[in-house]
Amino acid sequence: MHTHTNIKRLAAIIRANVSKNIVFVAGWRAKAVHAGLGLALMALPSASLFAQSPFLPPPPPFVSTVPSNGDVNPYGVVFVPPAFPAGGTTQSGDILVSNFNNNQNLQGTGTTIIKVAPNGNTSLFFQGSAPGLTAALGVVQAGLIFIGNLPTTDGTPNTVQPGSVLVLNDKGQLLGTLAGQYGIDGPWGMAIHDQNDHGQIFISNVLSGTVIRLDVNLFAKTGSMQVRDSVVISSGYAHRTDPAALVLGPSGLAYDAVHDILYVAESADNTIREIKGAGALTSDAGPGVVIYQDVVHLHGPLDLAIAPNGHLLVANSDGSNATPTQPSEIVEFTTAGAFVTEFSVDPNNGGAFGLALQSIGGGTRFAAVDDDMNTLLISTIIP
């Protein structure tokens, strides 16, 4: 199957073929040669098999991200990790999604995080008073959730404020906030190196064009944390406000702990950069090295993730360099800067924002928002 097939079309194929004795086997199956996303289907040889093996359709590949208060514009996506403590209102295997807009669709005014359970059921995990919850969303095994906010009062760049990072517990309760004293200035993307009782939280600041690292102690027994240090490890990124995108600048982050490299998606100039030694830096190393700059396939890159094959996946927000011929694309490329493949999550521009991956036995769970439709795509990719 063609690797550029639209996901909505794949979902339609699944639904249409349920009545044609076709079993949906394992979500999207990765092709070894192209590292793309295909569809694995198995035709039943005879109707007699239905008597032996009851067939239940799989959960829908899309779920709504709109909570009861009507918040829209989903941004951040994260999987709750396997070692996350039990007993809270979110559990291992859940997916959390943050909303950036309110029910009037004003940017920087959303206040909610929804929870998507493994069976596809959705519920409200958090609703607070700090508006504009961004794609800077992360979870640690100690039972804490971190979410950045970049608020406005009227949905325009004229009222954008620096915001903060909210710290939540496993019950969706606000424990505290991290703000300007820690170098936070428009938290737009996040990556976490979780080491059980301590960790490193990397945050991109879209209003100042910087990336900071918070070195933290984590206490699972008390569900608390302590910031040991805050370091600006990278600066000099292009950044600006924008009447349509609101803000453009350093966005999605992905951390390779094995090689100590932090990857940064820059939405203002359509580049992906790497910061070597990011976990050990004690001072500003500048804007890092460009590893991928592609005006054909990059259109306001926002969120960023590392695939199991070592490639990078980036969601294009279409906030800059937009083209109607490549709307809402998630692009796969190598760390050496070679384009691999891409696919669209929506036929219109502006749909691709947050994405996340989680390894499971024999495969990888994949989640990505469609910001235009206010939905979350969930699939399992079998190598």
Side-chain angles (χ1 to χ4, degrees), residues 70-358:
D71 277 358
V72 292
N73 212 7
Y75 264 38
V77 181
V78 69
F79 284 96
V80 179
F84 197 81
T89 55
T90 189
Q91 305 287 331
S92 172
D94 290 344
I95 306 171
L96 301 179
V97 182
S98 56
N99 284 303
F100 191 60
N101 293 14
N102 67 2
N103 60 6
Q104 301 299 308
N105 203 24
L106 296 178
Q107 297 193 83
T109 56
T111 59
T112 54
I113 298 174
I114 70 156
K115 179 186 76 173
V116 183
N119 64 3
N121 291 339
T122 63
S123 59
L124 181 67
F125 172 69
F126 170 76
Q127 183 171 6
S129 59
L133 302 186
T134 71
L137 177 62
V139 181
V140 292
Q141 298 176 72
L144 299 174
I145 295 92
F146 302 91
I147 175 64
N149 85 299
L150 187 142
T152 75
T153 58
D154 60 3
T156 74
N158 298 328
T159 60
V160 167
Q161 301 170 44
S164 63
V165 170
L166 315 182
V167 183
L168 314 176
N169 66 12
D170 60 352
K171 298 179 178 60
Q173 299 166 331
L174 179 65
L175 301 179
T177 60
L178 308 174
Q181 70 270 33
Y182 296 104
I184 292 169
D185 188 11
W188 208 230
M190 180 181 293
I192 297 180
H193 184 202
D194 187 354
Q195 298 172 281
N196 298 318
D197 63 350
H198 64 285
Q200 296 174 311
I201 305 173
F202 301 94
I203 300 167
S204 59
N205 289 312
V206 74
L207 295 183
S208 59
T210 62
V211 176
I212 64 172
R213 188 191 71 231
L214 303 180
D215 300 318
V216 299
N217 293 325
L218 302 168
F219 307 100
K221 288 186 178 180
T222 58
S224 59
M225 64 164 290
Q226 177 189 44
V227 179
R228 300 195 316 270
D229 197 12
S230 174
V231 182
V232 176
I233 63 170
S234 187
S235 66
Y237 294 90
H239 61 284
R240 65 179 186 273
T241 57
D242 184 90
L246 191 71
V247 289
L248 294 169
S251 303
L253 304 177
Y255 182 63
D256 176 354
V258 173
H259 301 98
D260 194 14
I261 296 175
L262 183 70
Y263 297 99
V264 184
E266 168 60 272
S267 60
D269 62 6
N270 294 287
T271 59
I272 309 298
R273 298 172 182 263
E274 67 174 14
I275 305 170
K276 293 183 178 180
L281 288 171
T282 58
S283 61
D284 187 351
V289 177
V290 175
I291 63 165
Y292 188 54
Q293 189 169 41
D294 183 351
V295 295
V296 175
H297 298 106
L298 293 184
H299 311 283
L302 191 73
D303 213 0
L304 193 61
I306 301 175
N309 61 3
H311 294 173
L312 291 170
L313 305 178
V314 64
N316 281 296
S317 68
D318 299 316
S320 63
N321 190 39
T323 170
T325 61
Q326 291 180 306
S328 303
E329 299 283 354
I330 293 178
V331 174
E332 178 179 348
F333 56 97
T334 71
T335 55
F339 171 77
V340 177
T341 189
E342 65 182 357
F343 69 90
S344 172
V345 301
D346 194 279
N348 300 302
N349 283 343
F353 275 67
L355 75 159
L357 304 172
Q358 183 183 54

